[in-house]
Amino acid sequence: MNDIQERVAGSFKSQGMMATLGAQLVSVADGEVRIALPFSAKLSQQHGYVHAGAITSIVDTACGYAALTKAPPDCEVVTAEFKINLMRPAIGERFLAIGRVVSSGKLLTVCTGEVQAFSGTECKVVAVMQATIVNVRP
Amino acid sequence: MNDIQERVAGSFKSQGMMATLGAQLVSVADGEVRIALPFSAKLSQQHGYVHAGAITSIVDTACGYAALTKAPPDCEVVTAEFKINLMRPAIGERFLAIGRVVSSGKLLTVCTGEVQAFSGTECKVVAVMQATIVNVRP
Amino acid sequence: MNDIQERVAGSFKSQGMMATLGAQLVSVADGEVRIALPFSAKLSQQHGYVHAGAITSIVDTACGYAALTKAPPDCEVVTAEFKINLMRPAIGERFLAIGRVVSSGKLLTVCTGEVQAFSGTECKVVAVMQATIVNVRP
Amino acid sequence: MNDIQERVAGSFKSQGMMATLGAQLVSVADGEVRIALPFSAKLSQQHGYVHAGAITSIVDTACGYAALTKAPPDCEVVTAEFKINLMRPAIGERFLAIGRVVSSGKLLTVCTGEVQAFSGTECKVVAVMQATIVNVRP
């Protein structure tokens, strides 16, 4: 595990929210981070599907950490804003959020993200995100 | 409690996600819904503040139910997309999400939302949202 | 005319795009800027209404200048991103874009904007925007 | 030229705005449309670069027509909303907007778009968009 992978893994573990959702860090590559979320009834919305807020939480987090892999070593990152399209109901046994860096500057990083839903052998993209992340010196 | 208030209250109670977050339905008026969220360490991100995903979950839900108050009685609503600006760290003892209808058509409703953070006697807006919600006939 | 009004007026005049659209600077207040656009067939989309791109241009510009009124005096501003909902066809004799600052930090300013369409004595909001603007030192 | 290409070409020609900007329809494929824009001083913002509103106009139009290639034959399309990140100043001799369909349903189509800037032999992505388009029966 290299430095940035260790840093992301440590930060991920410290997030109460990720544990509460049951989310798992899957992989950390340069400019791309993946987070998995198994279905749980405790994440449901009124129709029994996974709540948009849970889907958003994992893809926002994946985008943030993807941005961190491109940030200067002395920087932390903060999500300034994002936009998400929820294209289909989040039905599935397991969800995979992928955050990818599109452009990284000194100050701002732009990421795109998607969430895939897995049901049996089927995989469908249920959401796409576009996010702006800021490098901050702590 | 009128019909729409009852319908929103029932739907809210059926959401596993709202219970998991510890969110509470505060009020349902025509075109405006409020949801409260007490601080909890189980919702934290890596710096100990409330995770953007939790903040997003309550304001998205408030916008969705605000849209429902304007939907035809035989319709349900689904969030098509939203955009959120996270203007400050979500620091506070309690958070209040307000969703408001800006425009409602036969098919699409546009809402704005905000999240206020309360610390002692202080109140700050930490996030603003703009959302598009679709009326669907079940 | 105070300093910031003069600065905005000068900058507005230097924009080829504003002249091409026929847009006019209406007012510059602290945290709020208004820009008008008379209808013109040269701005039409395929149904004869005003193109979303023209509507977007004036409200993006209004938001940017609203942010400038809150920026440190030695800073310029650049729009990092925005989101716009086009709620109704842009039908009217005249359009008014209003950009307002919601939150301004050292680095980032968040604005909301709207575009009103005037037809005879009628006024309708046809679009709402949420934008993120960056302070840059030239 | 097939039916949909003819339909897009006819609609594009009827847009006063596209002529005013000097934009040209480059290609219409299933789920992907390209529009070019040569630099012109009449599209400039205050620093002499191309105005965000011009960049937005071409990529919004490209996304809309991309959605049209996936719409039922008796439908027209209307952009409900979009979000755009302006990642770099729009500096170049020529710009190319590409709109692509990510997901198309009965009612809503989600597109992503990008704008590339060409300067000499260099090509840079200056903007990315995520848009929601509605199928409407006229």
Side-chain angles (χ1 to χ4, degrees):
Chain A
M1 214 164 54
N2 64 24
D3 279 7
I4 187 68
Q5 287 172 329
E6 233 170 283
R7 194 173 159 202
V8 172
S11 173
F12 188 90
K13 247 183 245 172
S14 75
Q15 295 205 27
M17 182 72 173
M18 290 298 106
T20 299
L21 297 174
Q24 297 142 4
L25 184 63
V26 173
S27 65
V28 178
D30 188 36
E32 188 186 300
V33 168
R34 296 175 175 234
I35 293 172
L37 181 73
F39 175 84
S40 160
K42 72 176 184 181
L43 308 179
S44 67
Q45 35 83 293
Q46 67 273 25
H47 304 108
Y49 312 142
V50 172
H51 196 282
I55 293 298
T56 300
S57 297
I58 57 168
V59 63
D60 163 40
T61 304
C63 285
Y65 285 130
L68 188 64
T69 70
K70 294 289 194 187
D74 59 333
C75 276
E76 298 192 351
V77 295
V78 171
T79 302
E81 63 81 41
F82 59 78
K83 179 247 204 291
I84 187 166
N85 275 79
L86 305 151
M87 300 178 305
R88 286 186 185 81
I91 303 174
E93 295 133 27
R94 187 172 161 272
F95 301 88
L96 181 67
I98 307 172
R100 284 187 191 101
V101 173
V102 172
S103 158
S104 61
K106 245 184 291 187
L107 185 65
L108 297 181
T109 301
V110 176
C111 290
T112 55
E114 66 173 55
V115 180
Q116 304 169 348
F118 295 85
S119 296
T121 60
E122 209 178 44
C123 167
K124 283 185 178 178
V125 176
V126 294
V128 290
M129 177 177 276
Q130 196 170 304
T132 311
I133 291 123
V134 195
N135 292 333
V136 288
R137 284 187 166 73
Chain B
M1 213 163 55
N2 64 23
D3 280 8
I4 186 67
Q5 288 172 329
E6 233 170 283
R7 195 174 158 201
V8 171
S11 173
F12 189 89
K13 248 183 244 172
S14 75
Q15 293 206 28
M17 183 71 173
M18 290 299 106
T20 298
L21 296 174
Q24 297 143 4
L25 184 63
V26 173
S27 65
V28 178
D30 188 36
E32 188 186 298
V33 168
R34 295 174 176 235
I35 293 172
L37 182 72
F39 175 83
S40 160
K42 72 177 186 182
L43 307 179
S44 67
Q45 35 84 292
Q46 67 273 26
H47 303 109
Y49 312 143
V50 172
H51 195 282
I55 294 299
T56 301
S57 297
I58 57 168
V59 62
D60 164 40
T61 303
C63 286
Y65 285 130
L68 188 63
T69 69
K70 294 288 195 188
D74 59 333
C75 276
E76 297 192 352
V77 295
V78 171
T79 301
E81 64 81 40
F82 59 77
K83 179 248 206 289
I84 187 166
N85 275 80
L86 305 152
M87 300 179 304
R88 286 187 185 81
I91 303 175
E93 295 133 27
R94 189 171 161 272
F95 300 89
L96 181 67
I98 307 172
R100 284 188 191 100
V101 173
V102 172
S103 157
S104 61
K106 243 184 291 186
L107 184 65
L108 297 181
T109 301
V110 177
C111 290
T112 56
E114 67 174 55
V115 181
Q116 304 169 349
F118 295 85
S119 297
T121 59
E122 208 178 45
C123 167
K124 284 185 176 176
V125 176
V126 294
V128 290
M129 178 178 275
Q130 195 170 306
T132 311
I133 291 121
V134 195
N135 292 333
V136 288
R137 284 188 166 72
Chain C
M1 213 161 55
N2 64 24
D3 279 7
I4 186 66
Q5 288 173 328
E6 232 169 285
R7 194 174 159 203
V8 171
S11 173
F12 188 90
K13 247 183 246 173
S14 76
Q15 294 205 29
M17 183 72 173
M18 290 299 106
T20 299
L21 296 173
Q24 296 143 5
L25 183 64
V26 173
S27 65
V28 178
D30 188 37
E32 188 186 299
V33 168
R34 296 174 175 234
I35 293 172
L37 181 73
F39 174 84
S40 160
K42 72 177 183 180
L43 307 178
S44 66
Q45 34 84 291
Q46 68 273 25
H47 303 109
Y49 312 144
V50 173
H51 197 281
I55 293 298
T56 300
S57 297
I58 57 168
V59 63
D60 163 40
T61 303
C63 286
Y65 285 131
L68 189 63
T69 70
K70 295 288 195 188
D74 59 333
C75 276
E76 298 192 351
V77 295
V78 171
T79 301
E81 64 81 40
F82 60 77
K83 179 248 204 289
I84 187 167
N85 275 80
L86 305 151
M87 301 179 304
R88 287 186 185 81
I91 303 175
E93 294 133 28
R94 189 172 160 272
F95 301 89
L96 181 67
I98 307 173
R100 284 188 191 101
V101 173
V102 172
S103 157
S104 61
K106 243 184 293 186
L107 185 64
L108 297 180
T109 300
V110 177
C111 290
T112 55
E114 66 173 56
V115 180
Q116 304 170 347
F118 294 86
S119 295
T121 59
E122 209 178 45
C123 167
K124 284 185 178 177
V125 176
V126 294
V128 290
M129 177 177 277
Q130 195 169 306
T132 311
I133 291 121
V134 195
N135 292 333
V136 288
R137 284 187 166 73
Chain D
M1 214 163 54
N2 64 24
D3 279 8
I4 187 67
Q5 288 173 328
E6 233 170 283
R7 194 173 159 202
V8 171
S11 172
F12 188 90
K13 246 184 248 172
S14 75
Q15 293 206 28
M17 183 71 173
M18 290 298 107
T20 299
L21 297 174
Q24 297 142 4
L25 183 63
V26 173
S27 65
V28 178
D30 187 37
E32 188 185 299
V33 168
R34 296 175 174 234
I35 293 172
L37 181 73
F39 175 83
S40 159
K42 73 177 184 181
L43 307 178
S44 67
Q45 35 83 293
Q46 67 272 26
H47 303 109
Y49 313 143
V50 172
H51 196 282
I55 293 298
T56 300
S57 298
I58 57 168
V59 63
D60 164 41
T61 304
C63 285
Y65 285 130
L68 188 64
T69 69
K70 294 289 195 188
D74 59 332
C75 277
E76 297 192 352
V77 294
V78 171
T79 301
E81 64 80 40
F82 59 77
K83 179 246 205 292
I84 186 166
N85 275 80
L86 305 152
M87 300 180 304
R88 287 187 185 80
I91 304 175
E93 294 133 29
R94 189 173 161 270
F95 300 88
L96 181 67
I98 307 173
R100 285 187 191 101
V101 173
V102 172
S103 158
S104 61
K106 245 184 290 186
L107 184 65
L108 298 181
T109 300
V110 176
C111 290
T112 55
E114 66 174 56
V115 180
Q116 303 169 347
F118 295 84
S119 296
T121 59
E122 208 177 46
C123 167
K124 285 186 175 173
V125 176
V126 294
V128 290
M129 177 177 275
Q130 195 170 305
T132 311
I133 292 122
V134 196
N135 291 333
V136 288
R137 283 188 166 74

